[in-house]
Amino acid sequence: MMPSRADLADFAYFLAIARHRNFRIAGLEMGVSASALSHALKALEKRLGVRLFNRTNRSVTLTAAGDELLSAINGPYAAIGQAVAQLDRFRDAPAGHIRLNVVADAATLILGPVMPVFTDRYPDIAVDIVASNRMVDVVGEGFDAGIRYGGTVPEDMIAQRLSPDLRWVVAASPAYLERFGTPARPQDLLQHRCVGIRLGDARLYRWEFEGPDGEFAIAVPGQVTVDDGLTMQAIAINGGGLTYGIEPAFAHAVAQGTLRLVLEDWATTGPGFHLYYSSRHQVPTPLRLLIDLIRELRPFSPA
């Protein structure tokens, strides 16, 4: 029996649900609501006469019939997708859609300067950016790629370096330093007010330094803890305490005189920003063009 036009459309929905095991995330990928996706799946199951998923409030799992259907059509649909992507070579202007999950500093320092040029150059490519320090499974949550610090990229991903290594520094406002003094060595931070950093996995970050005996970390004290650099910087600029982060993120405030770097002789250097994506999928043309543009523009150069 030849599948109907409705079957072909609903098979694509079925594959998205099977990839993510989540109706909301699958709906984001397909550009429809979770409710519409659920109705389409029910209609497909009714036409086929079998149940494809077991659905509860907590999980979405394939039935035996669903697993067999997935094995049969996943490869052909992937081949169709790759063939369509290849047609971009024949278009006057590339088109498509990419979703990115990006650490907040990279969103500001890399995508901020790059996206205006990208949208001018490629007006038919839509870009959806989620800026978050929370570590996520980019494939499982429906993203085409992520941008993270090099040391945090999952090992099973293909990574593309976007920046040189980054210098991690401490900064404070002149008003704070005048009131509380300037720390001369990292251990002095234990007597200061520091703005704490909560990592994407909910752990409190220990500020890292490098001295004559190598690298070490300090659990700094502080009444205020945040999970993004812009908030930390705003608190520090207003005299709320010492802050910690990558040097390029402080460059504008330092140039304006609203922040001053301290403990520079103890600064450590870590891996730069990397864009990463699944090794199991061909790189979409829009994503490849974005990578090429970032490398062309080189949006920032750390000191």
Side-chain angles (χ1 to χ4, degrees), residues 8 22 29 35 76 87 90 103 139-140 169 171 175 180 219 257 282:
L8 292 175
N22 182 293
E29 178 186 330
S35 176
L87 294 179
F90 302 97
V103 68
V139 175
V169 296
F180 295 102
Q282 184 175 358

Side-chain angles (χ1 to χ4, degrees), residues 26-110:
L28 285 174
E29 178 186 330
M30 302 303 297
V32 299
S33 68
S35 176
L37 208 60
S38 179
H39 285 303
L41 178 63
K42 288 178 181 177
L44 177 63
E45 289 176 326
K46 184 176 181 180
R47 291 196 302 274
L48 297 178
V50 294
R51 189 174 184 84
L52 300 173
F53 290 97
N54 293 313
R55 303 185 283 280
T56 70
N57 290 334
R58 294 186 176 181
S59 67
V60 178
T61 58
L62 285 162
T63 63
D67 192 52
E68 186 169 319
L69 180 62
L70 176 65
S71 298
I73 69 174
N74 194 38
Y77 263 80
I80 292 171
Q82 291 179 7
V84 171
Q86 292 298 321
L87 294 179
D88 264 338
R89 294 177 298 150
F90 302 97
R91 292 175 52 89
D92 292 332
H97 176 267
I98 47 177
R99 294 188 73 230
L100 304 172
N101 185 277
V102 184
V103 68
D105 280 339
T108 302
L109 296 168
I110 292 182

